[in-house]
Amino acid sequence: MPHPTPLPCPDFATSAPRPLSTPHWAEGGGIEVLPRIFEDAITLAVMRRPVGSDLLAGALAQVEAGRPLSFNWRGAPGVELRTALFETLAAPAASVALVEDVVILAEAMAFLFDTDTVGLRLRLMDAPMCPRFHCDNLPVRMITTYLGPGSEWLPEAAVNRAGLGAPSAAKPEIVRDDGAIRRLESGDVALLKGSGWIGNESHGLVHRSPALAEGQPRLLLTIDPG
């Protein structure tokens, strides 16, 4: 499988547009949907799955502990990652399924992109991390939300890319149609193709963190290859 390489952020105002009628996302209930991210036209691949009771118990245990959680890891997925998670997470006995799920997803990311290492972050948040629509300046990222609302994203037809980047009064609104905004569900495993993927420089998936109600927690996992 090809291994994408990061590139500088493109000039969206001058790059060639992709036909708006071209479908650019794939969804399914099995892991076989994830490799579709390697298709040129696909910028989002989503494996739909519910959050099971064991995963939910582990996520809720982190909230009930009442302490911050921002776990960062870079290295090979496997035993050391599993050990570090158990040392970091609250209520390890209640978090077994959560730890195993994180490790399995990290291993899947490494396998898909033929890399020995991954960069991983597991964070408990009570405010949006990236509330403005944007596209990532990296090749690809895996995300899943264990607790709380999932990330929001835009079909290409609903995006005005001239509005992306640092906000200014001179820029147009990014969203052409508020009714077109879509959201991932808790438990979904998604691969988001960014502008650093070779051949996708001007078509990175436009997405944002969801709004949270006051006091609403969100447990988010992100994984980058390499």
Side-chain angles (χ1 to χ4, degrees), residues 88-108:
T88 302
L89 297 183
S95 303
V96 173
L98 177 60
V99 169
E100 291 306 312
D101 196 69
V102 172
V103 172
I104 287 171
L105 292 180
E107 290 174 340

Side-chain angles (χ1 to χ4, degrees), residues 14-180:
T14 60
S15 53
R18 180 173 291 171
L20 298 183
S21 60
T22 303
H24 63 91
W25 62 92
E27 301 173 285
I31 198 168
E32 65 276 1
V33 73
L34 295 181
R36 292 200 61 190
I37 199 67
F38 290 98
E39 297 177 20
D40 290 343
I42 298 298
T43 60
L44 173 67
V46 184
M47 182 178 74
R48 296 287 188 186
R49 62 169 192 168
V51 177
S53 58
D54 50 355
L55 275 179
L56 182 59
L60 289 173
Q62 310 315 307
V63 177
E64 293 164 359
R67 70 188 196 200
L69 172 60
S70 182
F71 174 81
N72 296 278
W73 169 271
R74 183 168 295 279
V79 175
E80 291 184 5
L81 172 58
R82 183 179 289 107
T83 300
L85 283 164
F86 276 122
E87 291 174 348
T88 302
L89 297 183
S95 303
V96 173
L98 177 60
V99 169
E100 291 306 312
D101 196 69
V102 172
V103 172
I104 287 171
L105 292 180
E107 290 174 340
M109 193 66 166
F111 175 80
L112 270 174
F113 293 96
D114 191 23
T115 179
D116 294 330
T117 61
V118 297
L120 180 153
R121 290 184 291 181
L122 180 66
R123 287 164 290 182
L124 183 61
M125 299 171 288
D126 58 8
M129 181 180 61
C130 299
R132 178 176 166 83
F133 275 112
H134 65 284
C135 61
D136 294 330
N137 186 29
L138 46 73
V140 66
R141 171 166 286 166
M142 177 183 283
I143 64 171
T144 191
T145 302
Y146 291 111
L147 186 67
S151 298
E152 296 178 344
W153 61 278
L154 289 172
E156 189 63 29
V159 178
N160 185 346
R161 289 187 176 268
L164 292 171
S168 74
K171 286 189 174 182
E173 292 293 327
I174 297 170
V175 184
R176 297 183 186 273
D177 176 10
D178 288 339

